[in-house]
Amino acid sequence: MELLTRTLENIQDLNQDAMALAKDRLDNLIKPQGSLGRLEELAIQLSGITGELHPEMDDKAIIVMAADNGICEEGVAAAPSAVTLLMTNFIGSGVSGVRALSKTAGIDVITVDIGVAGEVSEKSVLCKKVKPGTDNMAKGPAMSREEAVKAIEIGIDVATEEIKKGRKILGTGEMGIGNTSTSTAILAILSGLPVEDLVGVGANLPEDQLSKKAAVIRKAIEINNPDSEDILDVLAKVGGLDIAGMAGVMIAGAANGVPVVVDGYISTIAALVAERLDSRVKDYLIASHFSYEKGAKAASELLGLDPMLHMEMRLGEGSGAALALPIVEAAAQMSSQMLTFQETGIGVV
Amino acid sequence: MELLTRTLENIQDLNQDAMALAKDRLDNLIKPQGSLGRLEELAIQLSGITGELHPEMDDKAIIVMAADNGICEEGVAAAPSAVTLLMTNFIGSGVSGVRALSKTAGIDVITVDIGVAGEVSEKSVLCKKVKPGTDNMAKGPAMSREEAVKAIEIGIDVATEEIKKGRKILGTGEMGIGNTSTSTAILAILSGLPVEDLVGVGANLPEDQLSKKAAVIRKAIEINNPDSEDILDVLAKVGGLDIAGMAGVMIAGAANGVPVVVDGYISTIAALVAERLDSRVKDYLIASHFSYEKGAKAASELLGLDPMLHMEMRLGEGSGAALALPIVEAAAQMSSQMLTFQETGIGVV
C-alpha cells in the first residue's frame, strides 16, 4: 500500500502554462484555427502532461497484463481458462494480434504474467504473478484487498521501470479469459446500470448464454456486496488482477508525467478504477478505440473520454492502443513540424 | 477523353478468390473470430484489390491536388484566393499539416499544381496546371467539359506514375480556397438535398455568412443547371480542378489494383465523382476520417463508406488520410504477422 499511496501523492495537475503555450502555437500554425480538431486537443494535453511545448512520443510501449479469472468455473466464457496461458506465451513470443499491429509503428510490447493459472514458458514474459488466477467471485471475493493493492503496485513497478528506460508514452493491454465478466461487474457497480444492459459476448460467447453470464455476474455482486464508494473493495471482490495491474500502469504514468493510451473495454474499466483512486489520473489518459463489446459505450461515457477510432474491434491485448499510438505521435509532431504564419514571414492571413 | 475511357475499361472486379483465402486465414488466426472487426474487413479488401494473401502496404504516398476556384469572387471563403498559392508552396516545401502528420509514418507527399492562380515557386510541386483556377460558377460553368476531363486525366497520369515507381497505396488530399463551395454544389446535385442542409463553414467562414454562401451555391446550380445524370457535366459546371484530379487518382488506383485512402469532405466528393464514372471504383477506396465540415456526413452516407477516425478535423491537404494510412498498413500486416491456431500446433480452441 505504501508504494500506491506514495505514487498517488506524486500525481500533479497538468501544466497549465505549457498548455497555454501549446495552444497559442497551434492557433498560429499555417492552417485555419482549430481545423485539426482533436489532434490539437491531444497536442495540448501532451504538453500539459510533459510540461514541454514539443514533447517527443517516439519511444512507445504497450504493457499487456495477463491473468486468469476464477469466475470461468461458472461457464461465462466461450474459451477455456487454459487459453490465457497459451495466449500469454504467444503475445510474449510475438505472434499475436497486438504484436502484429505494433510492428510497423515501432511499438514495443511488454507482457506481464500478473496472475496466469499455470506456468508461462515464454522467457520474455515478466513473471509477476500475484496468484495463479483469482478465486471464483460467484462464491466469494475474487481476491483479498492486499492482493488487489499488490497487483496495482506491480503495474506501477513495471510502468515505472519502462519510464526509467526512456518510454515517452505507454499503452495498456490485457489477456485473461473471463475478464469481460469482471469488467462488467465493476462497471455495473460504478455506473449503477443493470448488468443485463452491459453484458456482452466477449470472445464470442453464444448469444443464448448471455443471460446466464449476466446471472453469474449479478450473483457475484450480491454475494460480495462491495462498497461502491470504496474502489479497492470493488476491485478486490469482483475485479481481476489484469484490471488492477493496468490501473497501476495508468497511475504510474500520471505520477511520472507520461501519457497512457487506454485500449478497449477492460482497459477502460481499469481507467475507471485508477480514476477513483485519484481523479487527476484521467488527465493523463488517452482513449484509443471504441470497443465493440456491449458495455464499452457506457464505460467510456462514465469515464468521460471519447475514443478516436471506430473499428468494431474487441480483441483486447492492447490492439486498439497499438492503432492509436501513431496518431498520438503524429499529434505530438504536428506543432514542431509545422510553421506558424509568423515563421513563414507572411503574417496572419 | 481517350486516357479516361481506357483507364475506366481497365478496372476489374475485386479478386473474390483472394478475398476468400484472406477471410479463411483471418478466421483461423489466434484470436476470437471477427474480433478485429473493421481491420479484418480492410485486410480482406486489400486482398481483393491486390489479389495477394499478404499484400504489403509499405510504400505510401499522398497526392495533393491544388487549385483555385473562381467562386471566391463571391466572398464565400474566409481566406483570400491567394492563400491557395501560398499553401501550395508550403505543402511542397514540407512545413504544412499533411507533411507534419506524414513524417513519422513514412508517407511521401506529392503536391500537384492542377490549377493554382499564380506561379508556384516551390520546385518539388508538379506543374500540371489545366488553367489558373476555374471560372466563377455563379456566373457560368466553372470549366469546360474538356478541361474537367483533362484534370481527371492529370490525376490518372500522376497516380499511374507513382504506382509505376512502386507505390502500394495512395491517399488523396487537396488545397484550394473555395473548395467546400464546389463540393457542396456537387453534393447537393447528387444527393438531392437542399444546399442549406449541407453548407458549412469551411476554413472558418463566420456563421453569419453561411446563408450568403448557400445562396451563391444555389445560384451556381440554377445558372448552370447541370444534368445530374451526367457526372462530367456536374463536375465541369460546378466542380473544381482539385476534385477532378483526385477523382483521377482514385480511378487510376482502381485500374491498377492499388487502394486509395480518401481524405475528408472534398476527397469524398471526388470519390462520388469517380464512383459515378464507374461504380467499381468504390471497391478500391478506403474512407479515413469523419470530417467536421457540415456536409461530410451526407457525403459519406451517399458514397456508402464509413470513415474509421472521428477526429473533428477539417483541414484537408490529406491530413486525415495521413492518419489512416498506418492503420491500413497495420491491417495488411496482421494476417502475415499473426499465426493461425494450426500453425501454433494447438489446433482450434
Side-chain angles (χ1 to χ4, degrees), chain B residues 59-83:
Chain B
D59 197 337
K60 312 175 285 290
I62 293 173
I63 299 174
V64 181
M65 294 289 176
D68 273 296
N69 298 284
I71 191 69
C72 287
E73 285 175 15
E74 306 293 327
V76 291
S81 263
V83 170

Side-chain angles (χ1 to χ4, degrees), chain A residues 35 40 63 104 124-125 238 256:
Chain A
S35 62
E40 298 190 29
I63 299 175
T104 49
S124 68
V125 176
V238 301
N256 288 283

Side-chain angles (χ1 to χ4, degrees), chain B residues 292-308:
Chain B
Y292 210 54
E293 176 68 8
K294 189 174 175 188
K297 187 161 183 286
S300 289
E301 284 173 2
L302 186 61
L303 182 61
L305 292 182
D306 189 21
M308 299 175 268

Side-chain angles (χ1 to χ4, degrees), chain A residues 28-29 65 111 113 117 163 165 189 222 224 226 267 307 323 342:
Chain A
N28 284 287
L29 294 178
M65 294 288 175
T111 317
D113 168 8
I163 293 167
K165 285 186 203 157
I189 293 164
E222 280 164 27
N224 289 291
S267 289
L323 297 184
Q342 290 83 350

Side-chain angles (χ1 to χ4, degrees), chain B residues 59 110 126 158-168:
Chain B
D59 197 337
I110 292 100
L126 299 178
V158 173
T160 307
E161 210 47 49
E162 290 301 317
I163 293 166
K164 278 187 193 156
K165 285 185 203 159
R167 303 298 186 186
K168 300 295 172 56

Side-chain angles (χ1 to χ4, degrees), chain B residues 27 30 34 40 48-49 68 71 86 90 107 110 112 119 162 168 177 204 216 274 304 320 327 332 346:
Chain B
D27 282 346
I30 49 169
E40 298 190 28
I49 291 171
D68 273 296
I71 191 69
L86 281 171
F90 291 141
I107 304 162
I110 292 100
V112 184
E119 199 180 332
E162 290 301 317
K168 300 295 172 56
I177 304 299
N204 297 347
V216 170
I327 295 172
I346 57 170

